[in-house]
């Protein structure tokens, strides 16, 4: 399939007027929406597209797989005339893009589901809409490890050589900075603290799948990881579980954005399509298929799912700390952070 796995849905590139909010307007071209790969793409295809097409049979939506890291520099270059009308972003590139002026605000009239969402989970800069969330805490194998309570449990000498770390992610240092009574401006202090205990690090990985496989096999016993991804592996039968540290877990979010400098008619279609991502049907699909938690508090979370600590429930939000930090600040300093990790921990 060309154009990076593009999925074209609905007639030709020039289509009949689409009905949005009870009004018809001419849609000049297909509307391209970017999503992450795998289950993300599948849920958009299976849930969002049919729901939108039912209400707007004249609209054409092209759903395109891409990563945030790959697409961000392309959007910077094409910002005056972006190919995508909108799509999915993670916290880091959402924050960086917002600062760079790449995104446009949503019109509440076109995203009526937005008002139903948990506002505490929304980006603090006011741009973008949080669709699904997961905590970043500690994954562990319950065969070998008692449930960790604190980020400092990773420093226990009995875990020498048994802690797995992500080489290309940094929230373990952000969270530790908060545990030390500091914040994301003090990542250096967190890296220095880790350096005192680097004998515990037995593996460096570049993706969560590898880390989870190592924990499941017992090669590694525990390590920082995403709660939703850990929960998905646990539900699939892996010997793994998730712990939400008492000092707090960081918030990792799938955020919907519409791009700036998009044709007004296309922008309206894009916003209305992204509104389907905020519905309970869509967010329940995310939860049940991928173990990513809803931002819509009306989405049904079964008792079995609610019992899993990697799921963000309204009750957990009342009793646990979910840290939103300055993602743009950290994102702008990633080269220096990686250099310090390489020098002090590797």
């Amino acid at each position: 399939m060309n154009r990076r796995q593009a999925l074209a849905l609905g007639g030709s590139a020039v289509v009949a007027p689409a009905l949005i909010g009870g009004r018809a307007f001419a849609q000049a071209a297909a509307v391209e929406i970017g999503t992450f790969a795998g289950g993300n793409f599948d849920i958009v295809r299976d849930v969002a597209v049919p729901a939108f097409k039912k209400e707007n049979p004249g609209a054409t939506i092209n759903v395109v797989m891409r990563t945030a890291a790959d697409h961000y520099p392309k959007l910077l270059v094409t910002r005056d005339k972006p190919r995508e009308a909108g799509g999915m972003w993670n916290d880091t590139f959402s924050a960086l893009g917002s600062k760079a002026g790449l995104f446009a605000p949503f019109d509440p009239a076109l995203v009526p589901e937005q008002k139903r969402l948990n506002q505490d989970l929304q980006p603090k800069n006011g741009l973008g809409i949080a669709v699904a969330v997961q905590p970043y805490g500690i994954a562990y194998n319950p065969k070998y490890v008692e449930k960790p309570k604190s980020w400092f449990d990773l420093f226990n000498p009995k875990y020498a050589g048994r802690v797995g770390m992500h080489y290309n992610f940094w929230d373990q240092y952000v969270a530790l900075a908060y545990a030390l009574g500091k914040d994301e401006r003090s990542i250096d202090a967190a890296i220095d603290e880790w350096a005192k205990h680097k004998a515990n690090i037995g593996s460096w990985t570049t993706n969560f799948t590898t880390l989870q496989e190592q924990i499941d096999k017992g090669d590694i016993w525990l390590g920082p990881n995403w709660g939703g991804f850990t929960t998905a592996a646990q539900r699939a039968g892996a010997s793994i579980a998730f712990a939400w540290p008492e000092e707090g877990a960081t918030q990792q979010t799938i955020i919907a954005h519409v791009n700036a400098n998009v044709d007004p008619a296309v922008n309206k279609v894009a916003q209305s399509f992204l509104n389907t991502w905020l519905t309970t049907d869509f967010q329940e699909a995310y939860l049940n298929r991928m173990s990513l938690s809803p931002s819509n508090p009306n989405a049904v979370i079964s008792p079995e799912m609610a019992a899993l600590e990697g799921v963000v429930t309204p009750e957990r939000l009342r009793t646990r700390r979910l840290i939103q930090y300055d993602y743009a600040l950290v994102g702008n300093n990633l080269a220096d952070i990686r250099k310090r990790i390489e020098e002090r921990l590797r």
Side-chain angles (χ1 to χ4, degrees), residues 307-327:
L308 301 170
E309 196 153 329
V311 176
V312 181
T313 64
E315 174 61 25
R316 284 199 177 93
L317 287 174
R318 289 191 289 269
T319 59
R320 309 289 178 89
R321 188 183 189 189
L322 191 61
I323 301 166
Q324 277 195 12
Y325 60 88
D326 189 338
Y327 299 96

Side-chain angles (χ1 to χ4, degrees), residues 154-204:
L154 295 172
F155 299 156
N156 192 317
K158 68 183 179 181
Y159 301 141
R162 296 296 188 175
V163 175
M165 292 281 276
H166 291 290
Y167 175 64
N168 58 344
F169 202 61
W170 40 88
D171 271 33
Q172 54 262 38
Y173 310 108
V174 173
L176 182 60
Y178 275 84
L180 291 166
K182 304 177 186 296
D183 61 21
E184 60 272 20
R185 292 164 182 80
S186 299
I187 285 181
D188 255 5
I191 294 173
D192 285 343
E193 192 66 25
W194 257 109
K196 299 174 186 176
H197 308 279
K198 66 180 181 180
N200 277 22
I201 301 174
S203 173
W204 289 94

Side-chain angles (χ1 to χ4, degrees), residues 31-263:
V31 175
E32 185 165 300
I33 299 293
T35 76
F36 302 150
N40 303 280
F41 178 87
D42 294 342
I43 293 168
V44 171
R45 177 195 62 200
D46 297 344
V47 181
V49 168
F52 184 72
K53 290 290 292 178
K54 182 178 180 180
E55 298 297 325
N56 305 279
T60 297
I61 303 293
N62 288 347
V63 183
V64 177
M65 289 187 199
R66 81 310 188 258
T67 69
D70 286 342
H71 189 65
Y72 184 75
K74 297 175 183 176
L75 184 57
L76 282 172
V77 173
T78 62
R79 61 189 300 160
D80 292 335
K81 195 175 182 180
R83 181 161 182 166
E84 280 187 11
M88 286 180 186
W89 295 90
N90 61 22
D91 297 277
T92 298
F93 289 104
S94 168
L96 291 173
S98 296
K99 273 187 166 298
L102 300 182
F103 305 129
F106 280 89
D107 179 350
L110 296 174
V111 284
E113 293 292 330
Q114 183 180 21
K115 65 180 180 291
R116 298 183 172 90
L117 305 183
N118 186 326
Q119 297 307 306
D120 290 338
L121 299 175
Q122 300 306 311
K124 300 305 183 187
N125 59 24
L127 278 177
I129 302 175
V131 177
V133 300
Q134 58 179 321
Y136 189 86
I138 301 173
Y140 67 100
N141 188 325
K143 293 180 180 177
Y144 304 102
V145 176
E146 293 182 5
K147 180 181 177 181
K149 297 179 180 179
S150 165
W151 285 104
F152 297 108
D153 289 345
L154 295 172
F155 299 156
N156 192 317
K158 68 183 179 181
Y159 301 141
R162 296 296 188 175
V163 175
M165 292 281 276
H166 291 290
Y167 175 64
N168 58 344
F169 202 61
W170 40 88
D171 271 33
Q172 54 262 38
Y173 310 108
V174 173
L176 182 60
Y178 275 84
L180 291 166
K182 304 177 186 296
D183 61 21
E184 60 272 20
R185 292 164 182 80
S186 299
I187 285 181
D188 255 5
I191 294 173
D192 285 343
E193 192 66 25
W194 257 109
K196 299 174 186 176
H197 308 279
K198 66 180 181 180
N200 277 22
I201 301 174
S203 173
W204 289 94
T205 64
T206 57
N207 62 80
F208 66 89
T209 304
T210 301
L211 180 70
Q212 290 167 183
E213 289 173 351
Q214 291 177 345
I215 291 175
D216 176 44
K217 294 176 182 177
D219 300 333
I220 293 296
W221 292 352
L222 71 171
N225 202 40
W226 291 263
F229 299 154
T230 302
T231 299
Q234 181 181 12
R235 293 173 65 205
S239 182
I240 196 170
F242 180 78
W244 193 314
E246 60 190 8
E247 301 90 356
T250 58
Q251 178 176 324
Q252 288 296 302
T253 322
I254 290 178
I255 300 173
H257 277 287
V258 285
N259 294 336
N261 303 316
V262 172
D263 176 85

